[in-house]
Amino acid sequence: MRDMSMTLDLTLTSLLSNCDRLQGVNMFSQKFIRHALLLSSRGKSGIRCRFRSTQAIAEKVTDGFVEDLRSIVGKANVSTAEAVRDQHGHDESYHETTLPDAVVFAQSVEHVSKVAKLCNDNVVPLIPFGSGTGLEGGINALKGGVCLDISQMKNVIEVNAEDFDCTVESGVTRGELNSYIRDTGLNFPVDPGADASVCGMCATSASGTNAVRYGTMRENVLNMEVVLADGTVLWTAGKNKRSRKTSAGYNLTNLFVGSEGTLGIITKATIRLYGIPEATLSAVVHFPSIQEAVDTTVQVMQCGVPIARIEFLDEAAIDAFNKYSKFDMKVAPSLFLEFHGSPSSVEEQKEVVEEIAKMNNGSNFKWATNADERNRLWKARHEIVYACTALVPGSKPYSTDVCVPISNLPAVIVQTKEMLKKENLVGPIVGHVGDGNFHIFFPVDHDHPEALTKIKAMSEKMSLLAMEMHGTCTGEHGIGMGKRELLEKEVGIEGLRAMQIVKNAFDPNQILNPGKIFPV
Ligand SMILES: Cc1cc2c(cc1C)N(C[C@H](O)[C@H](O)[C@H](O)COP(=O)(O)OP(=O)(O)OC[C@H]1O[C@@H](n3cnc4c(N)ncnc43)[C@H](O)[C@@H]1O)c1[nH]c(=O)[nH]c(=O)c1N2
Ligand SMILES: CC(=O)C(=O)O
Ligand SMILES: [Mn+2]
């Protein structure tokens, strides 16, 4: 035991001699340095542990560098046109555009690997671009560099219907996958509303309306092909592996899920599929108060009803929803529900939920049994973020995204609503409440910076409240550039340091999506 620790200390010493930032590395961090060292000793992975500031010093993207990019992917697949850079310099959120210097459209994993190596050798920032539907400014090129658009890699590599899994390339969107596999009777249910790329969903650990039944990306990814900063290609669970369980070493798959383009570029994902339910039933029910709607949710969950969707909209959200999507719903706190299963199981779930809702003064149940009605309802629900921004013409969405343990949800939502009133802010509340996750969608108009300051303060208060109630500042949208200052508050300085050590080990030159996740 003593010999072992001496060996580790010696190894640590030699590692530390390569580090730029030694001071203040506590015992906890040293353990991680040892991990990093073990990784770095695998020469082939190319992972080196050189500690640098998390802020990269980007080399300029010169004409010669652009020529090098063109020689890798072909002339037609590199653009420096302002319109193309602009399109790739922002997502769907309020964050203001920051342009990359060049956009590269990769056609293969070999392209991705060679472009990564070139950027790494020249210390040029590299930002993976999935489909640009993120809500935390994840693709903004904060330090310029190369935006690597991988949306044209659109092959479905394999579908193993008998094992309920499939493998897709980075450009395949959730909608495209579901159209492709429709004939198999299977589908991929994780549903962030937007038609995001499956690999982008891995990168942000997305979820959405039916995570309550089927889980988030974390529970649904079995394996990923990832290109590291230096161009190394690895499979997080081993090449061709797709078992439901594994105890083989560290869980690299879940390290890359939610890494937001800062650890590697996900070029393929092997994900779980589910049978399309035999019967589906949707409903809307209205309540006199937020408390009663959310209490209903908690009781439904605590009764163990395997509900597929249970979505909350407050009266402001219903109002925006009616106006934008031409519905005529009662303007009151409401739940949108969906049940999946056999006809008898759906009937049983319906009865239990109806009884619980009625006990909480839920009324005006409206059932949608046919597919057209259901699709219209859920399409409108998915567009709610646009319905909220339409309240202020010319605005963009600022979305909060807290998630708390379900028993704390009623208190957090009620307090949030009181804070909104006190601050006199317009902000409809919408939530995937079965998971304890909810958003306020603030319409933000950049011509009114004072309103944005107020919204940011409110958003921070909400996040702190959620953390105090044992929750998180982001259930599903990620840290991106919007929540960087909150990460340390959530995971603690030790957690943050551990994350920085992992980042430094995988990306010693800090080229991958610099300026994201970590506080500035
Ligand atoms: C109308 C609407 C509604 C919703 C949402 C958006 C919109 C516009 N979202 C957010 C969004 O759809 C979600 O974050 C997606 O997972 C982003 O996938 P993209 O492919 O668009 O990634 P996008 O291109 O926006 O990139 C997002 C981040 O991931 C990185 N990235 C993308 N692809 C990568 C890859 N292949 N390898 C490595 N890094 C990669 C990027 O660098 C960036 O940091 C959401 N989300 C949610 O969870 N629940 C919800 O309810 C909703 N609802
Ligand atoms: C935008 C988002 O997260 C939602 O509509 O749930
Ligand atoms: Mn959401």
Side-chain angles (χ1 to χ4, degrees), residues 133 135 191-194 207-209 311 381-386 397 399-401 430-432 437-439 441 476-477:
T133 70
L135 292 172
D191 181 8
S207 43
T209 53
E311 293 285 306
R381 161 59 191 90
H382 289 325
E383 288 172 353
I384 189 76
V385 69
Y386 301 123
S399 171
T400 68
D401 181 32
V430 175
H432 314 295
N437 184 198
F438 70 96
H439 316 292
F441 297 129
E476 55 179 21
H477 297 161

Side-chain angles (χ1 to χ4, degrees), residues 96 393-395 444-452:
E96 283 189 280
S395 69
V444 163
D445 172 0
H446 280 287
D447 290 340
H448 293 94
E450 68 292 345
L452 180 57

Side-chain angles (χ1 to χ4, degrees), residues 202 221-228 233-242 246 248-257 259 263-270 506:
C202 294
V221 184
L222 300 172
N223 200 354
M224 287 182 294
E225 182 187 67
V226 176
V227 177
L228 301 182
V233 182
L234 69 77
W235 280 86
T236 55
K239 197 164 182 182
N240 299 325
K241 305 295 183 293
R242 49 190 180 84
T246 167
Y250 297 143
N251 189 336
L252 291 183
T253 305
N254 255 327
L255 179 62
F256 283 91
V257 173
S259 61
L263 294 181
I265 303 130
I266 303 161
T267 43
K268 289 189 191 81
T270 301
F506 278 97

Side-chain angles (χ1 to χ4, degrees), residues 398-412:
Y398 184 123
S399 171
T400 68
D401 181 32
V402 300
C403 185
V404 294
I406 187 91
S407 64
N408 289 337
L409 187 66
V412 176

